[in-house]
Amino acid sequence: MTTPPHVLVTGAGPGGLTLARVLQRHGIAVTVLEREADITTRDQGGTLDMQRDSGQVALASAGLLEEFLRVSRPEGQDMRMLAPDGSVLIDERAAPGELFNPEIDRGDLRALLLGSLAPGTVRWGTRLDRVEHRDDGGLDAVLAGPPDGTGPGTREHVTADLVVGADGARSRVRPLLSAATPSYTGVTFVELRVTPASFPGLEALVGRGGMTTRTAGRALFCQRLGDGSARVYAGFRRPPGWAAEHGLTTTAGVLDDPAAARAVLLTAFAGFAPELRELVVRSDDRIVERPLEMLPVGHRWDPVPGVTLIGDAAHLMSPFSGQGANSAMLDAADLAREVAATPHDLAGAVARYEATMFPRAEHNAAGAAQGLERFFSAEAAADPVAVFAEAMAEVGAAGAYGDAGGTGPAAARRTG
Ligand SMILES: Cc1cc2nc3c(=O)[nH]c(=O)nc-3n(C[C@H](O)[C@H](O)[C@H](O)COP(=O)(O)OP(=O)(O)OC[C@H]3O[C@@H](n4cnc5c(N)ncnc54)[C@H](O)[C@@H]3O)c2cc1C
């Protein structure tokens, strides 16, 4: 082993960047491989709530909690629930000073974490194809060439003492540890974006935070972002292939014909109030199909020297626990702490991390699976307020993982 150890992380998402930051705070060398060319390569997506018992704990380990609280949006905790006819069922506003789970745009979170790293930590435009064992017991990272898929693959000898897969749902590190692959949950989200300019009634309809409305098997979720725009997720319980089912095509998940996609969505939400349908009518042309996938609840593996996983790579789950990014970051903080505690016993550090992470992930994944079923159930459509109250009551009964899992307010906001 090199002294001190060198850690190679695949993936510059919330998990990988948090890991890099906390390791660097402990003086441990780390390199992050990221397939995207830079932080501007893709639309950074919607907003994340950072929970006091998970994401905020990780941010504190990263020394970034104060800065997070400065740039996050406590008002994003507001929650509205509407009936499909537009009547208001719940209109909750965050109390002044409430910091249980303030929101931050994904792009802002990524920028916060990136800005805290030593220059050159992230190798952009570097796509890992696979990790292989060498005859001498070391590991080879095999890079897949430029992110656009052109050019020959490059075989690169990794000098790392520990390889961490933080590369999300389709992890290229996971096969070293487990044969598990993600499966479809039965629910697809279609993501749209509206702005106050395109929809002047946005604030009145959605408020400052999140809004949901549903009928059996169909729902609209709406979240305000820092720039005043909103992400809208039209959720359906459908067999896989929503777009293809309607004769629509996609390129990397983006619908090729947004007008046709809107027409299909408006048919699906025909019974909803005109102002709710306006969220579809007034959306911009970037419409994305997101089939929700999950790894098996309780996914785990036998130890393999020099390799582990964090975040979605380890425990991909639907967003119905509200814990995906939060737990990716908590995994990262836990792993970094263990590595820093015994830098010359990485096997021990990984074993202690996995012993903490496995049961937590199982608890959260079970909550996400249960939350998804509950959200789209006929019972919840018939009486969403009662189901919301039930979910909130479970908050008080949250168990070993505090608010983590499918029982916390974030989960209740999604599942209620
Ligand atoms: C609609 C929706 C809403 C959500 N809402 C919430 C929420 O409110 N709260 C919450 O906590 N979670 C939420 N989640 C879940 C959350 O987005 C994920 O759990 C979180 O992003 C996982 O972080 P990660 O770092 O493990 O992986 P990712 O964010 O997936 O990051 C992985 C990184 O690895 C890179 N990468 C992948 N493959 C390679 C490769 N081969 N080589 C190099 N780099 C690679 C990717 O480009 C990416 O940058 C939501 C998810 C969805 C779909």
Side-chain angles (χ1 to χ4, degrees), residues 11 14-15 34-35 49 106 110 126 128 166-167 312 322 324-326 414:
E34 171 54 53
R35 66 182 170 186
D49 55 346
R106 281 172 188 270
R110 210 176 187 200
T126 308
L128 181 82
D167 49 348
D312 280 5
N326 281 277
R414 287 171 177 76

Side-chain angles (χ1 to χ4, degrees), residues 333-372:
D334 285 349
L335 176 58
R337 186 189 61 241
E338 297 299 352
V339 168
T342 58
H344 300 296
D345 175 17
L346 290 175
V350 167
R352 292 192 303 278
Y353 153 70
E354 290 176 350
T356 303
M357 180 272 287
F358 285 143
R360 177 172 68 214
E362 180 168 357
H363 176 85
N364 289 342
Q370 182 195 336
L372 180 143

Side-chain angles (χ1 to χ4, degrees), residues 51-390:
Q51 299 183 11
R52 195 173 51 204
D53 296 338
S54 46
Q56 291 185 46
V57 171
L59 285 162
S61 299
L64 297 171
L65 185 57
E66 263 182 42
E67 205 175 336
F68 162 75
L69 292 173
R70 197 174 51 73
V71 299
S72 65
R73 289 175 285 110
E75 70 277 13
Q77 298 168 109
D78 290 3
M79 200 280 295
R80 281 163 69 80
M81 185 190 295
L82 306 185
D85 67 4
S87 56
V88 178
L89 301 175
I90 295 175
D91 191 358
E92 262 189 17
R93 285 175 80 91
E98 185 178 326
L99 294 173
F100 186 81
N101 55 346
E103 295 278 339
I104 186 167
D105 291 4
R106 281 172 188 270
D108 291 344
L109 177 65
R110 210 176 187 200
L112 175 69
L113 291 165
L114 269 172
S116 73
L117 297 178
T121 303
V122 179
R123 282 181 56 180
W124 295 98
T126 308
R127 186 156 61 97
L128 181 82
D129 185 56
R130 61 189 181 280
V131 181
E132 292 176 348
H133 287 288
R134 280 202 311 263
D135 292 343
D136 66 3
L139 295 166
D140 263 354
V142 183
L143 305 187
D148 61 2
T150 61
T154 314
R155 194 172 177 88
E156 180 165 328
H157 288 267
V158 170
T159 54
D161 302 296
L162 176 63
V163 176
V164 182
D167 49 348
R170 309 249 167 266
S171 173
R172 295 297 188 130
V173 181
R174 191 191 303 127
L176 250 71
L177 296 164
S178 151
T181 53
S183 62
Y184 180 56
T185 59
V187 169
T188 291
F189 277 8
V190 179
E191 180 184 325
L192 310 108
R193 177 176 173 271
V194 286
T195 65
S198 65
F199 186 1
L202 189 59
E203 176 95 20
L205 183 68
V206 176
R208 306 179 304 172
M211 185 276 285
T212 62
T213 180
R214 81 183 88 176
T215 182
R218 269 175 304 152
L220 291 174
F221 307 81
C222 207
Q223 291 178 319
R224 299 296 295 279
L225 272 73
D227 65 359
S229 68
R231 293 292 155 140
V232 181
Y233 299 96
F236 308 92
R237 196 176 255 303
R238 299 296 310 157
W242 174 85
E245 178 191 342
H246 296 286
L248 301 169
T249 58
T250 58
T251 303
V254 180
L255 274 296
D256 295 321
D257 184 344
R262 271 188 217 102
V264 172
L265 289 170
L266 288 170
T267 303
F269 288 89
F272 284 64
E275 63 271 27
L276 291 167
R277 288 158 50 85
E278 285 294 287
L279 290 168
V280 176
V281 173
R282 294 174 182 270
S283 63
D284 68 22
D285 278 348
R286 190 172 188 280
I287 302 179
V288 185
E289 181 185 36
R290 294 195 186 281
L292 301 183
E293 295 187 328
M294 60 185 279
L295 282 165
V297 173
H299 176 232
R300 55 187 69 201
W301 54 85
D302 293 330
V304 174
V307 193
T308 193
L309 305 174
I310 64 171
D312 280 5
H315 44 66
L316 177 68
M317 62 189 86
S318 81
F320 285 84
S321 71
Q323 283 293 332
N326 281 277
S327 57
M329 294 167 67
L330 198 53
D331 291 352
D334 285 349
L335 176 58
R337 186 189 61 241
E338 297 299 352
V339 168
T342 58
H344 300 296
D345 175 17
L346 290 175
V350 167
R352 292 192 303 278
Y353 153 70
E354 290 176 350
T356 303
M357 180 272 287
F358 285 143
R360 177 172 68 214
E362 180 168 357
H363 176 85
N364 289 342
Q370 182 195 336
L372 180 143
E373 289 307 320
R374 176 158 58 184
F375 194 94
F376 285 97
S377 67
E379 181 202 359
D383 195 350
V385 177
V387 173
F388 176 77
E390 190 186 303

